[in-house]
Amino acid sequence: MGVLPVPAEVRAILLDIEGTTTPIAFVQETLFPYIKDNVKEYLRAHWEEEECQRDVGLLRKQAQEDSSLDGAVPIPLESGSGEEELEHVIQAVVDNVHWQMSLDRKTTALKQLQGHMWRAAYATGHVKGEIFEDVVPAIRKWREAGMKVYIYSSGSVEAQKLLFGYSTEGDILELFDGHFDTKIGPKVESESYRRIAASIGCATNNILFLTDVPREANAAEEADTHVAVVIRPGNAGLTDDEKSYYSLISSFTELFLPSST
């Protein structure tokens, strides 16, 4: 795709994760299946712990809010009447988690449990965050040129830090100046990018946002943020109009920083 010059006013590079720094397949074929395959074992092992009980409490509250939805799975309260009842409650939590994941829901309750399970998986070496090979060398070069580098993902900040802290490239958290998730706002809303700019103390046109999702690119552009759409193996295809409209890169090495010359 050639070389993409970075506008001179850019002072910070904002990175999406899935499909940008990390293969979509890692999220779809490693992270999410790990939850589905291990949630029952995890709940049995950690059930008595305060953190696990908070997670279950949030899921139970979410289940009550979801009670009118088709296929929703309620989570009963425990009465303390023995192992059989405990297994019944745990199975209800498992079924609820599987139901939410089948709908690709992003509820806080689900994300919190997933984050705690992934933390355990990363720490024990069962999972390592996959990073495209061009990412780390490029970020190091950007930082040497004086760029700030931030992450903005729909995954929680905790999940982001786990992925980069236990990655195939080792612990690379030092490469990032900060992390944002959807607590700052949805990635498809332009106001989110204005909030990020305010948070890091610059104007929106001082930021270059790299993402694989045109809707996110459009929202960032509406906020006067510079954008490039990243083409990676496994990413969704772009329309001809999108290909002709957006600046495209297939590797971070294609970004040319005037300040680095």
Side-chain angles (χ1 to χ4, degrees), residues 26 118-125 127-131 158-173:
F26 170 69
W118 286 325
R119 182 181 62 198
Y122 281 115
T124 56
V127 172
K128 282 187 180 294
E130 291 184 29
I131 311 292
E158 181 180 24
Q160 297 172 28
K161 290 182 175 180
L162 288 169
L163 191 155
F164 294 115
Y166 296 92
S167 84
T168 49
E169 302 291 328
D171 182 351
I172 57 171
L173 283 172

Coordinates of all heavy atoms in Angstrom, one line a residue, residues 26 118-125 127-131 158-173:
F26 N -7.2 -14.2 17.2 CA -6.8 -14.4 18.5 C -8.0 -14.2 19.5 O -8.2 -15.0 20.4 CB -5.7 -13.5 18.9 CG -5.3 -13.5 20.4 CD1 -4.8 -14.6 21.0 CD2 -5.6 -12.4 21.2 CE1 -4.5 -14.6 22.3 CE2 -5.3 -12.4 22.5 CZ -4.8 -13.5 23.1
W118 N -9.5 -14.3 32.2 CA -8.3 -14.1 31.4 C -7.1 -13.7 32.2 O -6.0 -14.2 31.9 CB -8.6 -13.0 30.3 CG -9.5 -13.4 29.2 CD1 -9.6 -14.6 28.7 CD2 -10.5 -12.6 28.6 NE1 -10.6 -14.7 27.7 CE2 -11.1 -13.4 27.6 CE3 -10.9 -11.3 28.7 CZ2 -12.1 -13.0 26.8 CZ3 -11.9 -10.8 27.8 CH2 -12.5 -11.6 26.9
R119 N -7.3 -13.0 33.3 CA -6.1 -12.7 34.2 C -5.5 -13.9 34.7 O -4.3 -14.1 34.6 CB -6.6 -11.8 35.3 CG -5.5 -11.4 36.3 CD -6.1 -10.6 37.4 NE -7.0 -11.4 38.2 CZ -7.9 -10.9 39.1 NH1 -8.1 -9.6 39.2 NH2 -8.7 -11.7 39.8
A120 N -6.3 -14.9 35.1 CA -5.8 -16.1 35.6 C -5.1 -16.9 34.5 O -4.0 -17.5 34.6 CB -6.9 -17.0 36.2
A121 N -5.7 -16.9 33.3 CA -5.2 -17.6 32.1 C -3.8 -17.1 31.7 O -2.9 -17.8 31.4 CB -6.2 -17.6 31.0
Y122 N -3.7 -15.8 31.6 CA -2.4 -15.1 31.2 C -1.4 -15.4 32.3 O -0.2 -15.8 32.0 CB -2.6 -13.6 31.1 CG -3.2 -13.1 29.8 CD1 -4.5 -12.5 29.8 CD2 -2.6 -13.3 28.6 CE1 -5.1 -12.0 28.7 CE2 -3.2 -12.8 27.4 CZ -4.4 -12.2 27.4 OH -4.9 -11.7 26.3
A123 N -1.7 -15.3 33.6 CA -0.7 -15.4 34.6 C -0.2 -16.8 34.7 O 1.0 -17.0 35.1 CB -1.4 -15.0 36.0
T124 N -1.0 -17.8 34.4 CA -0.5 -19.2 34.4 C 0.1 -19.7 33.1 O 0.5 -20.8 33.0 CB -1.7 -20.1 34.8 OG1 -2.8 -20.0 33.8 CG2 -2.2 -19.9 36.2
G125 N 0.1 -18.8 32.1 CA 0.7 -19.1 30.8 C -0.2 -19.9 29.9 O 0.3 -20.3 28.8
V127 N -2.5 -18.6 28.2 CA -2.8 -17.7 27.1 C -1.7 -16.7 27.0 O -1.2 -16.2 28.0 CB -4.2 -17.0 27.3 CG1 -4.4 -15.9 26.3 CG2 -5.3 -18.0 27.3
K128 N -1.3 -16.4 25.8 CA -0.4 -15.3 25.5 C -1.0 -14.3 24.5 O -1.6 -14.8 23.5 CB 1.0 -15.8 25.0 CG 1.9 -16.3 26.1 CD 3.2 -16.6 25.5 CE 4.2 -17.2 26.5 NZ 4.5 -16.2 27.6
G129 N -1.0 -13.0 24.7 CA -1.5 -12.1 23.8 C -0.8 -12.1 22.4 O 0.5 -11.9 22.5
E130 N -1.5 -12.2 21.3 CA -0.8 -12.2 20.0 C -0.7 -10.8 19.5 O -1.7 -10.1 19.5 CB -1.6 -13.1 19.1 CG -1.5 -14.6 19.4 CD -2.2 -15.5 18.3 OE1 -2.2 -15.1 17.2 OE2 -2.7 -16.5 18.7
I131 N 0.5 -10.5 19.0 CA 0.8 -9.2 18.4 C 1.4 -9.4 17.0 O 2.3 -10.2 16.8 CB 1.8 -8.4 19.3 CG1 1.5 -8.5 20.8 CG2 2.0 -7.0 18.8 CD1 0.2 -7.7 21.2
E158 N -8.3 -3.4 31.9 CA -7.7 -4.5 32.5 C -7.3 -5.6 31.5 O -6.2 -6.1 31.4 CB -8.5 -5.1 33.6 CG -7.9 -6.3 34.3 CD -8.7 -6.9 35.4 OE1 -9.9 -6.8 35.4 OE2 -8.1 -7.6 36.2
A159 N -8.3 -5.9 30.6 CA -8.1 -6.9 29.5 C -7.0 -6.5 28.6 O -6.1 -7.3 28.1 CB -9.4 -7.2 28.8
Q160 N -6.9 -5.2 28.3 CA -5.9 -4.6 27.4 C -4.5 -4.8 28.0 O -3.6 -5.3 27.4 CB -6.1 -3.1 27.2 CG -7.4 -2.7 26.4 CD -7.6 -1.2 26.4 OE1 -6.6 -0.5 26.5 NE2 -8.8 -0.8 26.4
K161 N -4.4 -4.5 29.3 CA -3.1 -4.6 30.0 C -2.6 -6.0 30.1 O -1.4 -6.3 30.0 CB -3.2 -3.9 31.3 CG -3.3 -2.4 31.2 CD -3.3 -1.7 32.6 CE -3.3 -0.2 32.4 NZ -3.3 0.5 33.7
L162 N -3.6 -7.0 30.2 CA -3.2 -8.4 30.3 C -2.7 -8.8 28.9 O -1.6 -9.5 28.9 CB -4.4 -9.2 30.7 CG -4.9 -9.1 32.1 CD1 -6.3 -9.8 32.3 CD2 -3.9 -9.8 33.0
L163 N -3.3 -8.4 27.9 CA -2.9 -8.8 26.5 C -1.5 -8.3 26.2 O -0.7 -9.1 25.7 CB -3.9 -8.3 25.5 CG -3.8 -8.8 24.0 CD1 -5.1 -8.7 23.3 CD2 -2.7 -8.1 23.2
F164 N -1.2 -7.1 26.6 CA 0.1 -6.5 26.3 C 1.1 -6.9 27.3 O 2.3 -6.9 27.1 CB 0.0 -5.0 26.1 CG -0.8 -4.6 24.8 CD1 -2.0 -3.9 24.9 CD2 -0.3 -5.0 23.6 CE1 -2.7 -3.6 23.8 CE2 -1.0 -4.6 22.4 CZ -2.2 -3.9 22.6
G165 N 0.7 -7.1 28.5 CA 1.6 -7.5 29.6 C 2.1 -8.9 29.5 O 3.2 -9.3 30.0
Y166 N 1.3 -9.8 28.9 CA 1.6 -11.2 28.8 C 1.5 -11.6 27.3 O 0.7 -12.4 26.9 CB 0.7 -12.1 29.6 CG 0.7 -11.9 31.0 CD1 -0.1 -11.0 31.7 CD2 1.6 -12.7 31.8 CE1 -0.1 -10.9 33.1 CE2 1.6 -12.5 33.2 CZ 0.8 -11.6 33.8 OH 0.8 -11.4 35.2
S167 N 2.3 -10.9 26.5 CA 2.2 -11.0 25.0 C 3.2 -12.0 24.4 O 4.2 -12.3 25.1 CB 2.3 -9.7 24.3 OG 3.6 -9.3 24.1
T168 N 3.1 -12.3 23.2 CA 4.1 -13.1 22.5 C 5.4 -12.4 22.4 O 6.4 -13.0 22.1 CB 3.6 -13.5 21.1 OG1 3.1 -12.3 20.4 CG2 2.4 -14.5 21.1
E169 N 5.3 -11.0 22.6 CA 6.5 -10.2 22.5 C 7.0 -9.9 24.0 O 7.9 -9.0 24.1 CB 6.3 -8.9 21.8 CG 5.7 -9.0 20.4 CD 6.8 -9.6 19.4 OE1 8.0 -9.3 19.7 OE2 6.5 -10.3 18.5
G170 N 6.5 -10.6 24.9 CA 6.8 -10.3 26.3 C 5.9 -9.2 26.9 O 4.9 -8.9 26.4
D171 N 6.4 -8.6 28.0 CA 5.6 -7.5 28.6 C 6.0 -6.2 27.9 O 7.1 -5.7 28.0 CB 6.0 -7.3 30.1 CG 5.3 -6.2 30.8 OD1 4.6 -5.5 30.2 OD2 5.4 -6.2 32.1
I172 N 5.0 -5.7 27.1 CA 5.3 -4.4 26.3 C 4.5 -3.3 26.8 O 4.3 -2.3 26.0 CB 5.1 -4.7 24.8 CG1 3.7 -5.2 24.5 CG2 6.1 -5.7 24.3 CD1 3.3 -5.3 23.0
L173 N 4.0 -3.3 28.0 CA 3.1 -2.2 28.5 C 3.9 -0.9 28.5 O 3.3 0.2 28.4 CB 2.6 -2.6 29.9 CG 1.5 -3.6 30.0 CD1 1.2 -4.0 31.4 CD2 0.2 -3.0 29.4

